[in-house]
């Protein structure tokens, strides 16, 4: 009811103090017909029973009003016919049943000196009044999601012929939006922003034919979400494990979804065939995932990954759109190096590796000690001889680091293999005596 769900009601109802059964009243043309009878409120009376408050337009010359009510359709006959006398143009009727419709009519009367009705006007039109359902919804759940729509469902409550749904964005300090369903339903969809969580509650209600709504108690709020947005900025981070670049481990990050319960990723080979896919639980605020899969071990090819968020609705997963593809490759296999001529370091240091599927060419980098990386050169083959570090020739008794990066062209974008791995060498000269 409103006093529990939306607005606190204190001392809402005072029972009619005088009840008259079988009052005989003669017609008097001086009193007209009561008009504008309508329900103004509902709640509970002093004994905790359900009650309604009715109001109408006062008639000149009327000393009081006879109020009759019965359950809807009982035609004011038999035990259902109740008569009450109101001294003003407003009355509260208590002792009613929850979630029930009542027919009510009012007739203006004059009173004699003893306070008994004498003359009367014409009875008003019959108006339906309603009391709030007493049950509370305990089964509210999310049952559907679209990009800009959220659907919730519940089990119907006896006595309710409409339901009042309140929702607002999770974390919002503003007022909730309230929508009353048009009829007796067990599910409802409301417009939502993409990738957004909402707090939702619902109250059973009963609506009269004149549009008055008596609200029952609200449910426990739940969290419901629209579909996750398209995942963006999928980025390859590293591959391999510890000292093993061949291990089937790759790390990625992406911009997380606000609404997703988790993510599904799918990895495809250079030829477009799927290698592996899996769902993972969401972590915020930044989503990073380590993928460990035997199909990625010794994977000497360019690959691509795409990611999408999902919601858990019951036992099902409902997915948002996939991200764009992110191309990547692990470190080339079998990278090794050796001095070209042990008698002369000027002949350089030769690096070789295994051909990577999908690679257009390879770039070799070199650094002296812990210094910055310098490009040694690019080749379409699978070996390269390093003779300089920058502009300086290689020197003996100096430690150098080197690495090989495979390159691929995807559209107008250049994609490179994992650049985080490197190896080192130190040149010495061997002297021969004859």
């Amino acid at each position: 009811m409103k006093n529990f769900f939306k607005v606190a009601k204190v001392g809402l109802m005072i029972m009619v103090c005088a009840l008259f059964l079988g009052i005989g009243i003669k017609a008097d043309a001086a009193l007209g017909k009561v008009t504008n009878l309508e329900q103004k409120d509902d709640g509970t009376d002093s004994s905790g029973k359900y009650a309604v408050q009715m109001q109408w337009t006062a008639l000149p010359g009327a000393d009081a009003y006879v109020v009759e009510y019965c359950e809807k359709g009982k035609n004011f006959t038999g035990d259902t016919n109740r008569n009450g006398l109101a001294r003003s143009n407003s009355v509260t009727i208590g002792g009613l049943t929850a979630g029930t419709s009542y027919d009510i009519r009012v007739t203006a009367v004059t009173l004699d000196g003893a306070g008994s009705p004498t003359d009367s006007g014409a009875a008003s039109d019959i108006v339906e009044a309603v009391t709030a359902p007493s049950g509370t919804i305990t089964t509210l759940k999310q049952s559907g999601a679209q990009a800009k729509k959220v659907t919730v469902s519940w089990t119907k409550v006896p006595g309710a012929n409409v339901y009042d749904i309140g929702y607002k964005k999770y974390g919002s300090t503003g007022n909730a939006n309230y929508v009353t369903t048009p009829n007796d339903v067990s599910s409802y969809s409301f417009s939502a922003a993409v990738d957004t969580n909402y707090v939702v509650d619902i109250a059973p209600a009963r609506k009269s034919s004149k549009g008055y709504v008596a609200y029952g108690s609200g449910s426990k709020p739940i969290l419901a979400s629209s579909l996750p947005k398209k995942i963006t900025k999928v980025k390859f981070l590293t591959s391999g494990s510890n000292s093993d670049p061949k291990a089937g481990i790759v790390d990625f990050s992406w911009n997380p979804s606000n609404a997703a319960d988790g993510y599904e990723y799918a990895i495809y080979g250079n030829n477009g065939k799927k290698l592996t896919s899996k769902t993972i639980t969401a972590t915020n605020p930044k989503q990073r995932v380590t993928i460990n899969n035997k199909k990625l071990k010794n994977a000497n090819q360019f690959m691509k990954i795409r990611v999408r968020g999902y919601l858990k609705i019951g036992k099902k997963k409902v997915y948002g759109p996939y991200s764009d593809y992110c191309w990547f490759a692990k470190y080339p296999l079998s990278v090794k190096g050796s001095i070209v001529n042990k008698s002369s370091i000027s002949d350089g240091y030769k690096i070789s590796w295994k051909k990577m599927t999908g690679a257009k060419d390879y770039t070799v980098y070199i650094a002296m000690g812990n210094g910055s990386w310098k490009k040694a050169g690019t080749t379409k083959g699978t070996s390269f001889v390093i003779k300089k570090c920058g502009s300086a020739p290689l020197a003996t008794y100096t430690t150098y680091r080197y690495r090989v990066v495979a390159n691929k062209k995807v559209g107008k974008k250049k994609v490179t293999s994992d650049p985080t791995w490197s190896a080192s060498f130190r040149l010495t000269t061997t002297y021969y005596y004859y």
Side-chain angles (χ1 to χ4, degrees), residues 16-17 27 50 55 70 73 82 87 90-91 100 132 149 161 256 322 381 383 398 401:
V16 176
C17 59
Y50 287 77
Q55 184 175 299
C70 63
R82 315 248 181 115
R87 295 284 183 163
S90 178
V91 69
T100 303
K149 185 179 291 186
N161 61 8
Y322 269 116
S383 65
T398 301
R401 292 178 296 133

Side-chain angles (χ1 to χ4, degrees), residues 143 152-156 163 181 183-188 202:
S143 54
V152 293
S153 61
W154 59 91
T155 301
K156 293 182 180 181
Y163 294 86
T181 62
N183 47 37
D184 184 17
V185 295
S186 59
S187 67
Y188 187 80
I202 184 171

Side-chain angles (χ1 to χ4, degrees), residues 344-359:
S344 174
I345 63 171
S346 62
D347 289 340
Y349 192 81
K350 183 178 180 180
I351 311 296
S352 63
W353 55 89
K354 188 176 180 180
K355 179 178 176 60
M356 178 178 283
T357 302

